[in-house]
Amino acid sequence: MRVRKLKVSSKTIFMLFALLIIQFSLFSGVHTAGAASEESEIDALIKGLNASDVNVKADSVKSLVEIGEPAVEPLIQVLGTEDPDIRENAAITLGKIKDERAVQPLAELLTDEVWEVEKAATDALISIGEPATEPLIEILQNENENVFLRTKAIEVLAGIKDERAIRPMIQALKEEPELQADLGYHLGLMGEPAVEPLIQLLDDEDSEVRARAAEALSRTGDERAIEPLTDALNDEDERVRLSAKKGLDKIEAQKKSMLIARYGMKREFYIEGQRQEWFEQLHTICDLSRDNMRLYFYPQGPVISYGCSIENCVTVGVLVGSEVNNSTLDNIYNIFDQAGKEIGVNDVPVVFSYEGFVQEDMETLQEMENLEITEETAGTEEYNVTEESAKDSRVSVSTPGLGAIFTLLGILISVCIINRR
């Protein structure tokens, strides 16, 4: 079989080559124009992060998240801008995109002078999760690093809950006195994997380490901690004994806290500004409900507390052992729902749960009175109380009888501590 040779003139080759160049140029032009258009869009959306309208801010964040990877570097660049709104919402956006390139720049914002920016960076790093663990451990272990930044690293590691962080946190608890308060609090938030290492610390030769381990175990709520904490009631150090007793009381109280029912529609928000506006509305709803709720206050009724929770809902605490039926719950919910409608809010989310009065027996109060606390440790305790109270911004209910007694006891304890300072 003979193969015929295809003859192609030089003119034809030149024309084909010219067509290829034209097509390539057109494609490059479209690509360049598309890239330029996207860059312009990203720049415009970033400018929208400090809009006066909170919904415009939220829409800008949503659009940037949808763009995804191409928006990461521009967002990282504006983390250093002077505008706190842009820093805050850029951090929020990066947390939602979850690109690990943002870890180090976000870590630098953990000591930002504006609280909202600091919180946005904290939440973003927690959202990014495991890719942030190693860099944060490096910050924790760096003795030359700013102490406040190291405490913020501890907070974020506790939020991520990566088991790799437990050993470094335990080691720091044993070796870094200035971090012990924060570690005692946040190790308790690491959950089940931290329980056994914390139990082992109850045998540590340092009484401060033992006391902080007992404090952390109480926050795990794990029943494996009951026996070792019971043994710690016989510790030679008074502070460890007190921490163990408070820990056992807390674990017992956690058992009694049970969900009763949820009403209304739970709200989710894209940026902090939206949540703050919603929180203000919840406060208004609680204030408007106050008079109608008096009928249900203890001891006339089963309610011992209600207020606004960081879970973006109203929470109602019902005294453990009280008998409540659906009709009672419906009536209480209608009070909040009607208050919501007065300000244009429908389906107010309300969560009912059993709660007990916070009690300290007289023996524990006497121990607290006699306990010698240094000025530094006293400041540490105040920090921990602030951390816990920040979890739930509840409206205190004025209740006569037993509730008033416990309120007075709390005031007396505070006065004693202040006088010691």
Side-chain angles (χ1 to χ4, degrees), residues 32-52:
T32 302
S37 175
E38 188 175 68
E39 288 177 7
S40 299
E41 182 184 6
I42 291 171
D43 289 342
L45 290 170
I46 287 176
K47 290 178 181 177
L49 295 178
N50 71 342
S52 57

Side-chain angles (χ1 to χ4, degrees), residues 101-272:
R101 287 176 293 170
V103 170
Q104 192 59 44
L106 286 169
E108 294 174 5
L109 289 185
L110 291 176
T111 55
D112 195 280
E113 60 185 11
V114 178
W115 178 82
E116 289 82 1
V117 177
E118 175 195 315
K119 182 180 184 302
T122 299
D123 294 343
L125 287 166
I126 292 173
S127 179
I128 291 172
E130 292 188 1
T133 299
E134 289 296 340
L136 289 166
I137 290 175
E138 289 179 11
I139 293 173
L140 170 61
Q141 294 177 326
N142 186 352
E143 296 180 3
N144 297 320
E145 190 57 85
N146 178 286
V147 172
F148 182 67
L149 178 58
R150 296 172 77 192
T151 63
K152 291 298 298 182
I154 291 168
E155 179 185 345
V156 178
L157 288 169
I160 295 172
K161 293 179 171 52
D162 189 327
E163 291 185 33
R164 291 176 295 169
I166 294 175
R167 185 178 295 276
M169 291 172 76
I170 292 285
Q171 193 66 29
L173 178 61
K174 297 170 69 173
E175 299 176 355
E176 306 278 353
E178 69 272 23
L179 301 178
Q180 285 176 332
D182 297 273
L183 289 162
Y185 179 84
H186 288 100
L187 273 166
L189 305 179
M190 293 294 288
E192 186 273 335
V195 173
E196 290 299 334
L198 286 169
I199 289 174
Q200 293 175 16
L201 286 184
L202 292 176
D203 294 324
D204 193 89
E205 60 182 17
D206 187 336
S207 62
E208 180 69 18
V209 172
R210 298 198 302 274
R212 294 299 178 184
E215 176 190 346
L217 283 168
S218 72
R219 288 192 177 85
T220 66
D222 196 301
E223 294 192 5
R224 287 176 294 169
I226 294 175
E227 184 176 346
L229 285 175
T230 302
D231 293 340
L233 294 175
N234 299 316
D235 193 280
E236 62 182 19
D237 188 271
E238 189 173 17
R239 181 177 172 80
V240 177
R241 295 197 300 270
L242 180 58
S243 295
K245 183 169 191 332
K246 290 172 71 176
L248 288 168
D249 290 344
K250 192 164 187 175
I251 291 174
E252 184 62 28
Q254 287 173 349
K255 290 182 183 178
K256 295 178 181 178
S257 295
M258 296 173 287
L259 176 68
I260 300 173
R262 296 179 185 272
Y263 282 72
M265 183 178 68
K266 185 177 180 180
R267 305 303 204 272
E268 297 291 344
F269 303 103
Y270 218 69
I271 62 173
E272 182 64 18

